[in-house]
């Protein structure tokens, strides 16, 4: 319970920090706190919508609450329709800039289609400070593609992304 309180305090200070949200969802999971888990899992997927583990956690939160249709919906996305898994491995915020690094994995046995990944760099209030995008080329079957984006702006403490 103390870990949950610490992560709750952290997410109050920075409600869009992905790692804090991820840790809080997993803490609620361990505590069997389904009511607390669902809204945090939904926020997690809103900032990290192409991450398989984030989607599975949201499915599990729905399952715990008996929402069968939502459980199946998010499991289907995570296991069947999600073509690329985005994993952000690093956020390095500085005073006037930030850098985000990660890997995009093709989950399929066929090459992925090229797409654009758009990152919004956020301050702790959730306001967009800067936006950067990267063109993701076709990734070979079961292959990966690294990305490294830099943004200029003061107060960047979090990110969210979407596929364009």
């Amino acid at each position: 319970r103390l870990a949950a309180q610490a992560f709750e305090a952290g997410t109050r200070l920075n409600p869009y920090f992905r790692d804090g949200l991820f840790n809080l969802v997993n803490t609620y999971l361990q505590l069997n706190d389904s009511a607390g888990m669902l809204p945090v899992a939904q926020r997690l997927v809103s900032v990290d919508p192409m991450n398989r583990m984030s989607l599975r956690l949201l499915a599990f939160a729905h399952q715990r609450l008996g929402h069968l249709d939502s459980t199946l919906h998010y499991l289907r996305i995570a296991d069947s329709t999600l073509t690329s898994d985005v994993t952000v491995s690093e956020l390095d915020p500085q005073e006037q800039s930030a850098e985000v690094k990660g890997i995009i994995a093709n989950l399929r046995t066929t090459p992925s289609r090229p797409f654009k990944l758009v990152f919004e760099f956020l301050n702790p209030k959730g306001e967009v400070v800067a936006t950067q995008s990267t063109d993701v080329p076709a990734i070979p079957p079961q292959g990966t593609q690294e990305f490294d984006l830099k943004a200029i702006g003061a107060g960047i403490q979090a990110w969210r992304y979407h596929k364009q």
Side-chain angles (χ1 to χ4, degrees), residues 3-21:
Q5 291 171 353
F7 290 129
E8 288 164 351
T11 58
R12 279 192 297 276
L13 292 173
N14 191 346
Y16 298 93
F17 184 58
R18 187 264 183 202
D19 293 345
L21 294 169

Side-chain angles (χ1 to χ4, degrees), residues 59 62 67-77:
H62 279 292
H67 303 158
L68 183 59
D69 288 346
S70 295
T71 301
L72 293 174
H73 172 76
Y74 288 106
L75 283 176
R76 189 174 298 119
I77 292 171

Side-chain angles (χ1 to χ4, degrees), residues 13-14 16-18 91 93-95 97-98 121-125 129 154-159:
L13 292 173
N14 191 346
Y16 298 93
F17 184 58
R18 187 264 183 202
L91 171 67
Q94 303 293 321
E95 270 188 46
S97 65
F121 293 85
L122 311 171
N123 66 19
K125 294 179 183 176
V129 175
I156 296 171
Q157 294 295 313
W159 49 262

Side-chain angles (χ1 to χ4, degrees), residues 15-19 21-22 25 37-62 70 73-75 77-78 82 86 159-163:
Y16 298 93
F17 184 58
R18 187 264 183 202
D19 293 345
L21 294 169
F22 186 83
V25 169
M37 187 179 175
L38 181 60
V40 180
Q42 289 169 325
R43 278 197 350 229
L44 174 62
V45 169
S46 76
V47 299
D48 198 12
M50 293 177 66
N51 181 274
R52 183 179 256 181
M53 276 308 302
S54 296
L55 291 162
R56 285 181 175 168
L57 284 169
L58 180 54
F60 195 60
H62 279 292
S70 295
H73 172 76
Y74 288 106
L75 283 176
I77 292 171
L82 185 67
V86 176
W159 49 262
R160 69 178 169 227
Y161 66 84
H162 64 274
K163 183 178 178 179

